[in-house]
Amino acid sequence: MSKDKNTTTDIIEKEYSILNLGPTHPATHGIFQNVLKMDGEIIMDAESTIGYIHRAFEKIAEHKPYYQFTPITDRLNYCSSPINNMGWLLSVEKLAGIEIPKRVQYMRVIIMELARIADHIICNSVIGVDTGAMTGFLYIFQMRERIYEIYEELCGARLTTNIGRIGGLERDFSPKAWDLLDKFLKDFPPALKEFENLLMRNRIFMDRTIGCGGISAERALDYSFSGPNLRAAGVDYDVRVMSPYSSYEEFDFIIPIGTNGDTYDRFMVREQEMWESVKIIHQAIGKIKKEPAGIYHADVPEFYLPPKEEVYNNMEALIYHFKIVMGETEIPKGEIYHAVEGANGELGFYIISDGGRAPYRVHIRRPCFIYYQAYPEMIRGGLLSDAILTMSSMNVIAGELDA
Amino acid sequence: MEMETQLTTVQDKLKAQFGEGLISSEILADYPVFTIKSDLILEVVRFLYNDKELAFHFLTTLAGLHYPENKGQELGVMYQLHSLTKNWRIRLKIFFSINNPVVPSITPVFSAANWMERQEFDFFGIIFSGHPNLKRILNIEDMAYHPMRKEYALEDGTREDKDDKMFGR
């Protein structure tokens, strides 16, 4: 066979282009780097690099008395710091065997559900922004502001809250806090309805999000997904129900689940969870009314700081104050794991105590860190614009990812 | 009571399958904890995953451990498995020497173990054999040590302006 000069038998080698998405790309809402192998607009492969804001929380925890680690947990998932605080406090209380009064447990439930709403507001409205719908984001963010005002009333801070102390809460809900909470509960449902009207059955939004970044239930379980991302794939796993803490077993709520595990399902699961959170808060307020008023911490003087005026006037209180501040409190030896349902998944604290003033070892199960490794698999074969949307709908928070 | 059932059920199954491979079992707080020979961990995890009755299909987390006083058994890893059908949570532990910190990776059973094992490699220098991509994850790649080991202090040891006698460990 003679060789035709006009045709070539060499295979043209296909060249992929490498695209560096991040670390500081405005569309990724945080410090995430993904090295993408692109075939035109299609993602062939991706590699995530993380650790840009690693702050060695687990090492720091080995050097701090237990109460000093609470403010550091704020910096995990900073969109819902109170849940992290509560997770840590509940873990330490489990280790020390502290019984928390019912009223305080219900108050904590209110705080945690408010945090969940705040977190879901951010995530869902940002999904809207990434599809090009800025309006919903601006409207619903007022409601997040209202939640932050309640935080301010409860603890004095807005973002990094440090709500709660070992043994209870730092202070009782003030009349103003109850007032703000009532107003919030009145104004939030119509605002959320309005937000849903903008996006939920919006043709553009649905076309954009359905089938985008989906994951099957089997793969999600294999990757140890938890929280709304796992539920969107169709697995009804919720720590609040499976291993209840803080009296969640007394509350009546449903676990919404999706079917496809795609961006739309994740959005819908979060929407529904916000309605459930409102329901839980209403129930908690009802329960608090039946409890004796004025209790906001357990009676554990060796863990809970006494009021300042007693420290100045009472010998016993002064000693306890000194011991707590200097980290001389007796913490039993032991090894515990305690998980709470964080806004984006199962947030667990594993503590080994050797009886010293600081934990011997702390390991934090950070839900983002675990499910973000599925990201390359979820975006492979899709468009770049879908990858952005997938990331925002997975609710990956840099602080928690890198810890 | 329920915890005892969990402990004995899993213990009996592991004993029947692995015999001497199960070193000890106990209840710590609200967790049944099983200590296993370190080279068996992959088989044990696979066995618990495939067992029809137990079906431990969810890897909650895994964490490295370091006990410098336990000579010959300095490093360890704890694995937490969750059976979603039974709602049982168990903890597996393995211990091995710091001079030869090689253990089988459980990534063939759980994809989620990939980054978790990379993190523990980064922190403790535990080498998970069979891991597809074992490199540092949170710290910088040319770091020369594994910072979560107990011999490394939190603060730079050369600093003299800070006195930790009173606060911290």
Side-chain angles (χ1 to χ4, degrees):
Chain A
M1 204 167 82
S2 65
K3 205 169 178 188
D4 185 355
K5 257 198 298 193
N6 296 324
T7 61
T8 172
T9 52
D10 298 340
I11 298 159
I12 298 169
E13 202 132 311
K14 205 168 177 184
E15 270 194 29
Y16 295 115
S17 45
I18 300 291
L19 183 71
N20 228 330
L21 182 68
T24 53
H25 191 282
T28 58
H29 323 287
I31 312 167
F32 305 104
Q33 188 194 26
N34 279 287
V35 183
L36 307 175
K37 194 162 122 191
M38 305 287 296
D39 178 8
E41 192 66 10
I42 310 283
I43 297 168
M44 302 307 289
D45 207 355
E47 204 197 335
S48 312
T49 319
I50 69 164
Y52 284 95
I53 56 165
H54 176 52
R55 291 145 298 169
F57 281 178
E58 294 183 4
K59 190 79 182 172
I60 294 174
E62 291 175 9
H63 294 261
K64 294 232 177 281
Y66 290 81
Y67 77 99
Q68 283 188 356
F69 190 64
T70 326
I72 291 171
T73 59
D74 290 337
R75 278 87 179 158
L76 284 166
N77 179 354
Y78 38 71
C79 294
S80 52
S81 317
I83 301 184
N84 310 335
N85 300 153
M86 296 305 166
W88 172 252
L89 296 172
L90 286 164
S91 311
V92 178
E93 283 156 8
K94 191 170 178 181
L95 178 67
I98 299 172
E99 196 76 36
I100 302 297
K102 280 281 176 197
R103 183 169 189 264
V104 185
Q105 294 191 9
Y106 300 142
M107 284 155 87
R108 285 180 166 185
V109 166
I110 293 180
I111 295 168
M112 282 191 276
E113 293 309 318
L114 282 174
R116 195 179 318 281
I117 292 173
D119 192 284
H120 287 356
I121 284 177
I122 297 172
C123 186
N124 270 2
S125 58
V126 164
I127 298 175
V129 172
D130 285 346
T131 57
M134 193 79 184
T135 323
F137 171 76
L138 292 175
Y139 276 2
I140 200 78
F141 246 54
Q142 287 180 359
M143 284 299 136
R144 175 176 169 269
E145 176 63 28
R146 299 274 292 275
I147 294 175
Y148 278 22
E149 277 167 14
I150 299 173
Y151 289 173
E152 257 182 283
E153 207 39 47
L154 299 182
C155 68
R158 292 163 57 84
L159 189 70
T160 49
T161 48
N162 191 12
I163 289 187
R165 298 289 180 264
I166 297 169
L169 295 169
E170 179 218 350
R171 55 181 104 158
D172 201 358
F173 284 14
S174 64
K176 192 182 169 199
W178 285 115
D179 214 36
L180 286 170
L181 186 62
D182 283 343
K183 283 215 189 75
F184 172 78
L185 287 175
K186 208 167 96 261
D187 296 346
F188 181 64
L192 186 59
K193 194 87 205 78
E194 196 180 21
F195 178 71
E196 284 182 351
N197 289 343
L198 281 169
L199 293 175
M200 221 149 110
R201 304 297 294 170
N202 180 329
R203 190 75 254 163
I204 303 168
F205 183 77
M206 287 169 78
D207 284 350
R208 190 73 186 76
T209 52
I210 292 175
C212 159
I215 190 162
S216 67
E218 289 78 24
R219 293 305 294 151
L221 277 175
D222 192 29
Y223 272 117
S224 290
F225 270 45
S226 48
N229 292 343
L230 179 63
R231 291 193 281 273
V235 183
D236 59 344
Y237 173 55
D238 189 318
V239 185
R240 289 177 291 177
V241 177
M242 291 284 259
S243 352
Y245 51 91
S246 223
S247 294
Y248 265 113
E249 68 276 12
E250 295 170 14
F251 290 87
D252 175 31
F253 60 100
I254 59 162
I255 310 175
I257 58 166
T259 47
N260 301 323
D262 58 11
T263 301
Y264 187 69
D265 278 10
R266 287 192 281 270
F267 174 86
M268 292 300 280
V269 165
R270 289 201 181 90
E271 281 300 314
Q272 201 53 46
E273 275 187 16
M274 284 196 260
W275 291 110
E276 295 304 316
S277 293
V278 172
K279 229 164 83 183
I280 294 172
I281 295 174
H282 278 298
Q283 293 173 36
I285 292 174
K287 284 176 194 292
I288 285 176
K289 283 191 182 134
K290 287 184 206 136
E291 296 292 324
I295 295 171
Y296 61 98
H297 62 85
D299 186 22
V300 278
E302 60 270 38
F303 290 99
Y304 191 86
L305 275 178
K308 208 63 177 182
E309 56 279 10
E310 271 191 41
V311 176
Y312 291 133
N313 299 313
N314 179 327
M315 192 58 177
E316 216 166 81
L318 175 67
I319 293 169
Y320 279 129
H321 180 96
F322 181 81
K323 283 182 94 169
I324 293 168
V325 171
M326 300 305 279
E328 297 296 337
T329 318
E330 296 267 327
I331 303 267
K333 282 182 191 176
E335 183 180 319
I336 60 115
Y337 174 83
H338 185 79
V340 293
E341 179 70 23
N344 51 1
E346 176 178 342
L347 174 74
F349 292 91
Y350 171 67
I351 308 175
I352 300 178
S353 161
D354 61 352
R357 52 166 61 158
Y360 185 77
R361 167 93 169 102
V362 170
H363 171 75
I364 307 167
R365 184 206 193 269
R366 291 126 43 211
C368 293
F369 175 77
I370 291 165
Y371 64 64
Y372 184 53
Q373 54 184 318
Y375 183 62
E377 187 176 311
M378 289 164 80
I379 62 172
R380 206 168 287 150
L383 297 169
L384 178 59
S385 50
D386 283 356
I388 302 287
L389 207 49
T390 306
M391 183 186 279
S392 61
S393 70
M394 277 171 85
N395 200 2
V396 187
I397 312 284
E400 189 175 274
L401 183 67
D402 295 342
Chain B
M1 191 59 229
E2 216 235 332
M3 203 59 61
E4 311 267 290
T5 326
Q6 297 185 16
L7 183 83
T8 46
T9 313
V10 180
Q11 187 184 342
D12 292 349
K13 290 209 176 215
L14 286 178
K15 226 175 213 148
Q17 183 72 18
F18 297 98
E20 294 290 295
L22 177 70
I23 296 168
S24 69
S25 48
E26 57 185 325
I27 291 177
L28 284 177
D30 51 353
Y31 263 81
V33 182
F34 303 94
T35 311
I36 288 159
K37 279 199 178 139
S38 65
D39 46 349
L40 285 175
I41 186 69
L42 176 61
E43 276 99 274
V44 170
V45 169
R46 187 176 278 142
F47 170 73
L48 292 172
Y49 184 93
N50 289 333
D51 191 285
K52 288 266 176 333
E53 191 204 333
L54 300 174
F56 281 100
H57 284 181
F58 192 82
L59 174 68
T60 307
T61 189
L62 65 86
L65 308 166
H66 187 201
Y67 293 96
E69 289 83 34
N70 297 359
K71 292 289 170 235
Q73 309 260 294
E74 291 93 345
L75 286 178
V77 185
M78 76 91 181
Y79 302 79
Q80 287 196 169
L81 302 178
H82 194 166
S83 165
L84 295 179
T85 46
K86 277 187 164 333
N87 196 15
W88 286 9
R89 289 162 176 264
I90 58 163
R91 185 179 298 146
L92 304 174
K93 276 187 180 175
I94 54 173
F95 290 99
F96 43 90
S97 162
I98 200 163
N99 300 314
N100 182 28
V102 185
V103 290
S105 163
I106 60 162
T107 43
V109 184
F110 291 108
S111 306
N114 189 326
W115 280 17
M116 297 188 203
E117 288 182 349
R118 273 178 73 185
Q119 177 176 269
E120 301 317 320
F121 163 71
D122 190 353
F123 284 171
F124 290 95
I126 299 163
I127 294 157
F128 294 92
S129 60
H131 190 284
N133 182 26
L134 194 66
K135 56 179 189 185
R136 286 188 184 270
I137 186 162
L138 292 175
N139 289 307
I140 195 161
E141 261 174 54
D142 52 8
M143 200 169 185
Y145 55 96
H146 298 285
M148 281 293 284
R149 289 191 179 175
K150 289 286 174 188
E151 63 259 39
Y152 298 107
L154 181 67
E155 297 270 353
D156 179 359
T158 55
R159 281 182 68 170
E160 286 169 357
D161 56 328
K162 279 194 155 184
D163 183 4
D164 263 356
K165 262 205 318 278
M166 302 304 278
F167 297 94
R169 190 175 270 273

